[in-house]
């Protein structure tokens, strides 16, 4: 059994409404020591907090997904800052840029991303960054900040993401896509030092092979660990131990 922290899991989503309790129980029984839920919009904050009150295993982050950037207002920022005082609220996310779907105007996405990065820096908490088809702007914004810590969530394997991440000391969120047949990540992962890897599901999305296409959940991270071991030739227990420590460090989960 591996010790696992799922650093990005949308366990609050409706896909888990029927059996959330069992998913959490299964996680606990299979070595999962913490599950961190990112928010996508301000309506998530309170709901995630209640789930965290109910389950010791859960933690949450506050942020607005680039898809919903258009909904960001001063109320959302104030609410996020308020939640960051809660000890279960361990970061800011998910935030970033998504020029693939373009569901919010790009200038608004950039402003909201930058504002939330500032909130994270001011509160000394890590961020979870979502970036799709927007590497250049992401790099510019990240490089304009100081004292940033966090994770490039769902690392795509792109060279630009790798370069800026390594330069700024960010971690790389690795999940189900590593196991996909034609994943470019299989090559790129060789250039990512194990010291900067964290695992994540992005559940309910992106279930790894052999569960691809099904609803994802934290216990499936074992397939990602084993794929990584296969690629690197490293012992899977050694990998999981190191990545567990990385995750604990970046999100300051001293108590788990
Ligand atoms: Zn996500």
């Amino acid at each position: 059994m591996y010790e696992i922290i799922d650093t990005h899991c949308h366990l609050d989503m409706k896909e888990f409404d029927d059996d959330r309790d069992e998913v959490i129980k299964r996680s606990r029984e299979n070595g999962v020591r913490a599950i961190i839920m990112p928010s996508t919009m301000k309506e998530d904050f309170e709901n995630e907090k209640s789930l965290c009150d109910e389950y010791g295993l859960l933690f949450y982050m506050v942020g607005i997904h680039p898809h919903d950037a258009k909904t960001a207002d001063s109320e959302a920022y104030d609410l996020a800052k308020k939640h960051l005082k809660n000890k279960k609220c361990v970061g800011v996310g998910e935030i970033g840029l998504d020029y693939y779907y373009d569901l919010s105007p790009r200038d608004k996405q950039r402003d909201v991303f930058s504002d939330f990065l500032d909130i994270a820096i001011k509160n000394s908490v890590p961020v979870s960054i979502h970036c799709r088809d927007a590497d250049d702007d992401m790099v510019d914004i990240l490089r304009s900040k100081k004292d940033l810590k966090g994770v490039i969530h769902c690392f795509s394997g792109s060279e630009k993401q790798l370069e800026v991440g390594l330069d700024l000391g960010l971690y790389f969120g690795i999940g189900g896509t590593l196991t996909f047949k034609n994943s470019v990540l299989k090559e790129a992962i060789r250039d990512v030092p194990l010291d900067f890897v964290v695992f994540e599901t992005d559940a309910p999305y992106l279930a790894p092979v052999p569960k691809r296409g099904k609803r994802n959940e934290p216990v499936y991270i074992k397939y990602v660990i084993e794929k990584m071991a296969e690629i690197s030739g490293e012992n899977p227990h050694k990998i999981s131990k190191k990545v567990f420590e990385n995750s604990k460090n970046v999100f300051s989960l001293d108590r788990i």
Side-chain angles (χ1 to χ4, degrees):
M1 197 159 76
Y2 308 110
E3 273 197 312
I4 290 169
I5 295 174
D6 187 347
T7 61
H8 191 114
C9 175
H10 299 278
L11 201 60
D12 57 309
M13 283 188 173
K14 63 175 184 333
E15 283 82 351
F16 293 102
D17 281 354
D18 289 341
D19 63 347
R20 186 171 293 108
D21 211 63
E22 283 146 57
V23 171
I24 292 170
K25 186 166 176 270
R26 198 154 49 233
S27 299
R28 198 182 289 120
E29 289 170 355
N30 287 280
V32 179
R33 299 274 305 276
I35 298 170
I36 304 174
M37 295 177 288
S39 296
T40 61
M41 50 191 167
K42 67 172 184 255
E43 285 73 16
D44 297 341
F45 303 173
E46 206 50 51
N47 182 29
E48 292 183 351
K49 180 189 170 292
S50 320
L51 286 171
C52 289
D53 289 342
E54 201 176 331
Y55 298 99
L57 201 63
L58 303 186
F59 296 85
Y60 72 116
M61 296 188 272
V62 284
I64 295 184
H65 195 286
H67 291 346
D68 297 298
K70 55 183 178 293
T71 69
D73 52 15
S74 60
E75 192 201 331
Y77 293 132
D78 289 345
L79 205 57
K81 290 176 202 161
K82 194 188 106 193
H83 277 271
L84 282 167
K85 295 191 170 65
N86 186 311
K87 64 179 188 338
K88 282 256 173 158
C89 186
V90 295
V92 166
E94 61 182 288
I95 56 170
L97 304 173
D98 193 312
Y99 294 174
Y100 180 79
Y101 286 108
D102 270 333
L103 297 184
S104 283
R106 291 183 179 185
D107 56 344
K108 183 73 180 173
Q109 290 190 40
R110 287 190 290 268
D111 288 347
V112 173
F113 181 36
S114 175
D115 289 343
F116 270 109
L117 289 172
D118 292 339
I119 291 173
I121 292 165
K122 205 159 172 228
N123 287 274
S124 308
V125 293
V127 293
S128 183
I129 302 164
H130 169 110
C131 179
R132 189 153 182 202
D133 287 1
D135 281 359
D136 288 335
D137 283 358
M138 180 195 72
V139 168
D140 285 348
I141 294 170
L142 291 180
R143 288 198 187 281
S144 73
K145 307 292 178 188
K146 277 198 175 61
D147 301 323
L148 190 64
K149 56 178 184 169
V151 178
I152 297 180
H153 146 63
C154 201
F155 173 52
S156 68
S158 97
E159 268 175 47
K160 281 180 183 153
Q161 290 187 12
L162 181 67
E163 192 187 319
V164 73
L166 292 176
D167 267 8
L168 301 183
L170 298 173
Y171 290 75
F172 297 88
I174 305 295
T177 50
L178 184 70
T179 68
F180 293 177
K181 201 163 173 235
N182 296 316
S183 170
V184 292
L185 197 53
K186 279 183 198 153
E187 273 306 313
I189 194 77
R190 297 173 197 274
D191 298 322
V192 181
L194 192 60
D195 288 351
F196 290 94
V197 170
V198 298
F199 291 131
E200 57 175 37
T201 51
D202 206 13
Y205 313 112
L206 299 174
V209 174
K211 304 288 181 184
R212 191 170 182 185
K214 302 221 165 60
R215 185 190 67 177
N216 203 356
E217 63 173 81
V219 296
Y220 295 167
I221 284 180
K222 68 171 184 242
Y223 300 115
V224 179
I225 295 171
E226 278 156 13
K227 177 53 76 176
M228 230 170 115
E230 185 191 313
I231 293 169
S232 66
E234 211 33 284
N235 179 304
H237 291 280
K238 207 174 148 193
I239 292 174
S240 71
K241 208 163 183 268
K242 180 72 195 111
V243 173
F244 180 81
E245 288 307 322
N246 297 343
S247 313
K248 241 177 109 165
N249 286 341
V250 65
F251 288 100
S252 304
L253 302 175
D254 322 316
R255 297 172 309 280
I256 65 160

